[in-house]
Amino acid sequence: MKKALYWFSYDLRLQDNCSLASLVKLADQISFVYVIDPKWFSSDNYGHKQVGAHRWHLIYQSLQQFNTQLREHGHQLHILYGRAEQVIVSLVKENKIDLLGHAQQVGIYEQSQWQWVQQSLPQVGFVSHWDSTLFSPNQLTLSEENLASFSKFRKSVEKASIDPYETTAISLESLPQPLQIMDAATANTLSADVYGKTEHHNGRFKGGELYAIEHVIAYFESDRPSCYKTTRNALDGWDNSTKMSHFLALGNLSARQLWHHLKRYESRYGANESTYWIGFELLWREYFQWLALQLGTQLYRFQGGAEHEPVTQYFEDRFIQWCEGNTLYPLVNACMKELNSTGYMSNRGRQIVASCLVNELGIDWRFGAAYFQQQLIDHDVASNWGNWQYIAGVGADPRGGRHFNIEKQTQQYDPDGHYINKWQVEE
């Protein structure tokens, strides 16, 4: 009688979850857990939290919906509180678990956490697959040369004509029997009110696998994919981009699921430059995932992979003004106020404000990356820190950084001032 425990993290979904699907096949009894780590809410990341109010709201919403899904099939999600690796090890030992499942992570610290758990449980069987990308490692040529720039990576993938591996399905009706676990740590479960009201305002964004599936279906039943390239750089507007990045970041949706929906749309309605560009953006995300794995701790280094350190430092007053949207640049202020109010900012806006922090304000890029990590509902460690290195000129950009002319960007993307006025930014 094999007793199994599945530890969810950035894979809050039941479908197309390779690690979970493999564990289910091996288990006679199973229990599901999610651990809320107190370090997420301590301001030790360049003065910022790892998980801010907006993202916490969507995580909590995802957990609630997830638990509802499981309860419909006789299971439940045990939500525990504590240092994740210690909680899991204690839980496995107390309940004499035979098999432990957990998705492999891209972040170096998350990888170290999982390694510590494995080393602490030598008698346990582990089920863990790479599950956050379009492709598996054996499908790609992950040489230092191919990862030197996005263009090289993209061309190597497109030249090889490889397809993402197929999605995996789990029959919820045939899950193993529920395993009742001793989870004394549940008594310390963190309240949803860690940031105050759980009805925290972040517009139309929702968290949860069912919401993700509903959104993907609605998007690809519309004509929006066929005009994505012409609208994707807009600063505002719900329909101008896919609005799927937070589902990917939370793990409510896999990149493979999105890719296969895109290909079905193309086979039904035809491919064009816009549908290609959705896949192009997924390849950008893919690139940063594999690059982060290669870089390890270098992803967080001030100098990154550059020959010299950036000529920037930390200026507290300037940084606070940037965070609060009180700089000399109305467009930057509008973007930051939207971020602070909703947890979201357009891709174009992110590039503009990052360039401003580094080039106009002369501030160490890591403080901006940490603030984004705290504020964004769609924070992904690889994409966020990789993009910040890219802008700062210490990452994978062969041009040595990107400096956006804010006045020109304002004229191009907000010529009538509608976006700036919407966020009530004073000139």
Side-chain angles (χ1 to χ4, degrees), residues 134-172:
L134 290 170
F135 310 108
S136 62
N138 59 11
Q139 290 182 285
L140 299 174
T141 303
L142 294 172
S143 66
E144 189 171 332
E145 173 66 18
N146 282 346
L147 289 173
S149 72
F150 169 68
S151 293
K152 291 182 178 180
F153 174 79
R154 176 183 58 81
K155 289 175 182 177
S156 69
V157 170
E158 293 180 342
K159 183 178 180 180
S161 298
I162 57 177
D163 293 317
Y165 51 106
E166 289 301 314
T167 57
T168 58
I170 293 178
S171 173
L172 300 183

Coordinates of all heavy atoms in Angstrom, one line a residue, residues 134-172:
L134 N 7.6 24.8 -22.4 CA 7.0 24.2 -23.6 C 7.7 22.9 -24.0 O 7.1 21.9 -24.4 CB 7.2 25.1 -24.8 CG 6.3 26.4 -24.8 CD1 6.8 27.3 -25.9 CD2 4.9 26.1 -24.9
F135 N 9.0 22.8 -23.8 CA 9.8 21.7 -24.2 C 10.5 21.0 -23.1 O 10.7 21.6 -22.0 CB 10.9 22.2 -25.2 CG 10.4 23.0 -26.4 CD1 10.6 24.4 -26.4 CD2 9.6 22.5 -27.4 CE1 10.1 25.2 -27.4 CE2 9.1 23.2 -28.4 CZ 9.3 24.6 -28.4
S136 N 10.8 19.8 -23.3 CA 11.6 19.0 -22.3 C 13.1 19.2 -22.6 O 13.5 19.5 -23.7 CB 11.2 17.5 -22.3 OG 11.5 17.0 -23.5
P137 N 14.0 19.0 -21.6 CA 15.4 19.2 -21.9 C 16.0 18.4 -23.0 O 16.8 18.9 -23.8 CB 16.0 18.8 -20.6 CG 15.0 19.0 -19.5 CD 13.7 18.6 -20.2
N138 N 15.4 17.2 -23.2 CA 16.0 16.3 -24.3 C 15.5 16.7 -25.7 O 15.9 16.2 -26.7 CB 15.7 14.8 -24.0 CG 14.2 14.5 -23.9 OD1 13.4 15.4 -24.3 ND2 13.9 13.4 -23.5
Q139 N 14.6 17.7 -25.8 CA 14.1 18.2 -27.1 C 15.0 19.3 -27.6 O 15.0 19.7 -28.8 CB 12.7 18.7 -27.0 CG 11.6 17.6 -26.8 CD 10.2 18.2 -26.8 OE1 9.8 18.8 -25.8 NE2 9.5 18.0 -27.9
L140 N 15.8 19.9 -26.7 CA 16.5 21.2 -27.0 C 18.0 20.9 -27.0 O 18.5 20.1 -26.3 CB 16.2 22.3 -26.0 CG 14.7 22.7 -25.9 CD1 14.6 23.7 -24.7 CD2 14.3 23.4 -27.2
T141 N 18.7 21.8 -27.8 CA 20.1 21.9 -27.7 C 20.5 23.1 -26.8 O 20.5 24.2 -27.3 CB 20.8 22.1 -29.1 OG1 20.3 21.0 -29.9 CG2 22.3 22.1 -29.0
L142 N 20.7 22.8 -25.5 CA 20.9 23.9 -24.6 C 22.4 24.2 -24.4 O 22.9 24.1 -23.3 CB 20.2 23.5 -23.2 CG 18.7 23.3 -23.3 CD1 18.2 22.7 -22.0 CD2 18.1 24.7 -23.6
S143 N 23.0 24.6 -25.4 CA 24.4 24.9 -25.4 C 24.5 26.4 -24.9 O 23.6 27.2 -25.0 CB 25.1 24.7 -26.7 OG 24.5 25.6 -27.7
E144 N 25.7 26.7 -24.5 CA 26.0 28.1 -24.1 C 25.8 29.1 -25.3 O 25.3 30.2 -25.1 CB 27.4 28.2 -23.5 CG 27.7 29.6 -22.9 CD 29.0 29.6 -22.1 OE1 29.4 28.6 -21.6 OE2 29.6 30.7 -22.0
E145 N 26.1 28.6 -26.4 CA 26.0 29.3 -27.7 C 24.5 29.6 -28.0 O 24.2 30.8 -28.3 CB 26.7 28.6 -28.8 CG 26.5 29.2 -30.2 CD 27.1 30.5 -30.4 OE1 28.1 30.9 -29.6 OE2 26.8 31.3 -31.3
N146 N 23.7 28.6 -27.9 CA 22.3 28.8 -28.2 C 21.6 29.7 -27.2 O 20.5 30.3 -27.5 CB 21.6 27.4 -28.3 CG 21.8 26.7 -29.6 OD1 22.3 27.3 -30.5 ND2 21.5 25.4 -29.7
L147 N 22.1 29.7 -26.0 CA 21.4 30.6 -24.9 C 22.1 31.9 -24.8 O 21.7 32.7 -23.9 CB 21.5 29.9 -23.6 CG 20.6 28.6 -23.4 CD1 20.9 27.9 -22.1 CD2 19.1 29.0 -23.5
A148 N 23.0 32.2 -25.7 CA 23.7 33.5 -25.7 C 22.8 34.7 -25.9 O 23.0 35.8 -25.5 CB 24.9 33.5 -26.7
S149 N 21.8 34.5 -26.7 CA 20.8 35.5 -27.0 C 19.5 34.9 -27.3 O 19.4 33.7 -27.7 CB 21.2 36.4 -28.1 OG 21.1 35.7 -29.4
F150 N 18.4 35.6 -27.2 CA 17.1 35.1 -27.5 C 17.0 34.7 -29.0 O 16.4 33.7 -29.4 CB 16.0 36.1 -27.2 CG 14.6 35.7 -27.8 CD1 14.0 34.6 -27.3 CD2 14.0 36.4 -28.8 CE1 12.7 34.2 -27.8 CE2 12.8 36.1 -29.3 CZ 12.2 34.9 -28.9
S151 N 17.6 35.6 -29.9 CA 17.5 35.3 -31.3 C 18.1 34.0 -31.7 O 17.6 33.2 -32.5 CB 18.2 36.4 -32.1 OG 17.5 37.6 -32.0
K152 N 19.3 33.6 -31.1 CA 19.9 32.4 -31.4 C 19.1 31.2 -30.9 O 18.9 30.2 -31.5 CB 21.3 32.3 -30.7 CG 22.3 33.3 -31.4 CD 23.7 33.2 -30.8 CE 24.6 34.1 -31.5 NZ 26.0 34.0 -30.9
F153 N 18.5 31.4 -29.7 CA 17.6 30.3 -29.1 C 16.4 30.1 -30.0 O 16.1 29.0 -30.3 CB 17.2 30.7 -27.7 CG 16.2 29.8 -27.1 CD1 16.6 28.6 -26.5 CD2 14.9 30.1 -27.0 CE1 15.7 27.7 -26.0 CE2 13.9 29.2 -26.5 CZ 14.4 28.0 -25.9
R154 N 15.7 31.2 -30.4 CA 14.5 31.1 -31.2 C 14.8 30.4 -32.5 O 14.1 29.6 -33.0 CB 13.9 32.5 -31.4 CG 12.7 32.5 -32.3 CD 12.2 33.9 -32.5 NE 13.2 34.8 -33.1 CZ 13.5 34.8 -34.4 NH1 12.9 34.0 -35.3 NH2 14.4 35.7 -34.9
K155 N 15.9 30.9 -33.2 CA 16.2 30.3 -34.5 C 16.5 28.8 -34.4 O 16.2 28.1 -35.3 CB 17.4 31.1 -35.1 CG 17.0 32.5 -35.5 CD 18.2 33.3 -36.0 CE 17.8 34.7 -36.4 NZ 19.0 35.5 -36.8
S156 N 17.2 28.4 -33.3 CA 17.5 27.0 -33.2 C 16.3 26.2 -33.0 O 16.2 25.1 -33.5 CB 18.5 26.8 -32.0 OG 17.9 27.0 -30.7
V157 N 15.3 26.7 -32.2 CA 14.0 26.0 -32.0 C 13.2 25.9 -33.3 O 12.7 24.9 -33.6 CB 13.2 26.7 -30.9 CG1 11.8 26.1 -30.8 CG2 13.9 26.6 -29.5
E158 N 13.1 27.1 -34.0 CA 12.3 27.1 -35.2 C 13.0 26.3 -36.3 O 12.3 25.6 -37.1 CB 12.1 28.5 -35.6 CG 11.2 29.3 -34.7 CD 11.0 30.8 -35.1 OE1 11.8 31.3 -35.9 OE2 10.1 31.4 -34.6
K159 N 14.3 26.3 -36.4 CA 15.0 25.5 -37.4 C 14.8 24.0 -37.2 O 14.6 23.2 -38.1 CB 16.5 25.8 -37.4 CG 17.3 25.1 -38.4 CD 18.7 25.5 -38.4 CE 19.5 24.8 -39.5 NZ 21.0 25.2 -39.5
A160 N 14.7 23.6 -35.9 CA 14.6 22.2 -35.5 C 13.1 21.7 -35.7 O 12.9 20.5 -35.7 CB 15.0 21.9 -34.1
S161 N 12.2 22.6 -35.8 CA 10.8 22.3 -36.0 C 10.3 21.4 -34.9 O 9.5 20.4 -35.2 CB 10.5 21.8 -37.4 OG 10.8 22.7 -38.4
I162 N 10.7 21.6 -33.7 CA 10.2 20.7 -32.6 C 8.9 21.2 -32.1 O 8.6 22.4 -32.1 CB 11.2 20.6 -31.5 CG1 11.6 22.0 -30.9 CG2 12.5 20.0 -31.9 CD1 12.5 22.0 -29.7
D163 N 8.1 20.3 -31.6 CA 6.8 20.7 -31.0 C 6.8 20.4 -29.5 O 7.4 19.5 -29.0 CB 5.7 19.9 -31.6 CG 5.5 20.2 -33.1 OD1 5.5 21.4 -33.4 OD2 5.3 19.3 -33.9
P164 N 6.1 21.2 -28.7 CA 6.0 21.0 -27.3 C 5.4 19.6 -27.1 O 4.5 19.1 -27.8 CB 5.0 22.0 -26.8 CG 5.1 23.1 -27.8 CD 5.4 22.5 -29.1
Y165 N 5.9 18.9 -26.0 CA 5.4 17.6 -25.8 C 3.9 17.7 -25.3 O 3.4 18.7 -24.9 CB 6.2 16.8 -24.7 CG 6.5 17.5 -23.4 CD1 5.9 17.2 -22.3 CD2 7.5 18.6 -23.4 CE1 6.2 17.8 -21.1 CE2 7.8 19.2 -22.2 CZ 7.1 18.8 -21.0 OH 7.4 19.4 -19.8
E166 N 3.2 16.6 -25.5 CA 1.8 16.5 -25.3 C 1.4 16.8 -23.9 O 2.1 16.4 -23.0 CB 1.2 15.2 -25.8 CG 1.2 15.0 -27.3 CD 0.4 16.1 -28.0 OE1 -0.7 16.4 -27.6 OE2 0.9 16.7 -29.0
T167 N 0.2 17.4 -23.7 CA -0.3 17.6 -22.4 C -0.7 16.3 -21.7 O -1.1 15.3 -22.4 CB -1.4 18.6 -22.4 OG1 -2.5 18.1 -23.2 CG2 -1.0 20.0 -22.9
T168 N -0.7 16.3 -20.4 CA -1.1 15.1 -19.7 C -2.5 15.3 -19.0 O -2.7 16.4 -18.4 CB -0.1 14.7 -18.6 OG1 0.1 15.8 -17.7 CG2 1.2 14.3 -19.3
A169 N -3.3 14.3 -19.0 CA -4.6 14.5 -18.4 C -4.8 13.5 -17.2 O -4.2 12.4 -17.2 CB -5.7 14.2 -19.4
I170 N -5.5 14.0 -16.2 CA -5.7 13.2 -15.0 C -7.3 13.0 -14.9 O -8.0 14.0 -14.9 CB -5.2 13.9 -13.7 CG1 -3.7 13.9 -13.8 CG2 -5.7 13.1 -12.5 CD1 -3.0 14.6 -12.6
S171 N -7.7 11.8 -14.7 CA -9.1 11.6 -14.4 C -9.4 11.7 -12.9 O -8.9 11.0 -12.1 CB -9.5 10.1 -14.8 OG -10.8 9.8 -14.4
L172 N -10.1 12.8 -12.6 CA -10.3 13.1 -11.2 C -11.2 12.0 -10.5 O -11.2 11.8 -9.3 CB -11.0 14.5 -11.0 CG -10.1 15.6 -11.6 CD1 -10.8 17.0 -11.3 CD2 -8.7 15.7 -10.9

